[in-house]
Amino acid sequence: MSRDASFEEGAERPLNLGALDEDDLKVIAALVQDAVFPLAEMTYDRKARRFVLLINRFRWEDKAQSRHAPERVQALLAFDTVLGVASHGLERDEQGRVLSLLTMGWEAGEPPAGRLVLTLAGGGAIRLDCEALDVTLKDVTRPYLAPSGQRPRHDA
């Protein structure tokens, strides 16, 4: 005998996604567009070859946006197989500075290696030299109302 699905089974769940190719990366890049994070929430573990950001991302995937105020959620954006990190327009002594992620892109090198470029609002950028493309996005808190009460704007 079959059973009906419950309300809880249809509920939105925290995201836990991975990207191992450019198509997957485009999905994650869309989900983290306009994420904000303090400079202090960037960590590079050279030994583990892992670069991690604790971000506050807008919930672009939220199907109920028309019924409630805009929401954000804290998430870990992790990059594995990172061989080196470089940045432009960022100073280490600005730990309290809040950054806004505009986009992420992959620049292929000798397969499977390449570079991930994280473009920031205000002209900054972070470049990750990677052995291979390996990105994870995992929500780590419940959604909360966006402090601004607004959806991020995109001027054409």
Side-chain angles (χ1 to χ4, degrees):
M1 178 172 180
S2 66
R3 67 174 183 83
D4 290 337
S6 70
F7 177 78
E8 289 76 22
E9 290 171 323
E12 292 183 19
R13 290 186 167 65
L15 294 182
N16 188 2
L17 304 172
L20 298 174
D21 63 35
E22 288 184 71
D23 288 336
D24 294 343
L25 182 65
K26 288 176 186 174
V27 172
I28 291 178
L31 291 166
V32 300
Q33 182 178 359
D34 298 308
V36 292
F37 60 96
L39 183 62
E41 296 296 350
M42 291 191 323
T43 304
Y44 177 47
D45 182 340
R46 186 178 309 275
K47 187 174 180 180
R49 300 183 316 160
R50 184 167 230 227
F51 182 80
V52 179
L53 300 172
L54 178 61
I55 62 173
N56 297 286
R57 68 175 191 83
F58 186 79
R59 294 190 63 234
W60 293 109
E61 75 282 8
D62 183 7
K63 303 289 188 230
Q65 287 182 32
S66 62
R67 296 191 310 255
H68 61 76
E71 293 179 337
R72 287 189 174 265
V73 64
Q74 278 199 319
L76 287 175
L77 182 58
F79 305 89
D80 288 301
T81 76
V82 176
L83 303 172
V85 177
S87 65
H88 170 76
L90 304 178
E91 299 295 329
R92 292 179 193 244
D93 62 350
E94 299 178 307
Q95 294 296 302
R97 181 175 169 196
V98 176
L99 306 172
S100 179
L101 182 59
L102 295 179
T103 189
M104 295 190 309
W106 177 252
E107 298 174 356
E110 184 67 33
R115 290 182 172 164
L116 266 163
V117 178
L118 287 67
T119 305
L120 306 170
I126 302 166
R127 185 188 75 216
L128 308 175
D129 294 317
C130 302
E131 190 173 29
L133 180 58
D134 189 352
V135 180
T136 304
L137 173 65
K138 182 176 182 164
D139 291 345
V140 295
T141 66
R142 289 184 173 273
Y144 60 91
L145 294 180
S148 69
Q150 306 284 321
R151 289 174 49 92
R153 283 186 19 183
H154 296 284
D155 299 323

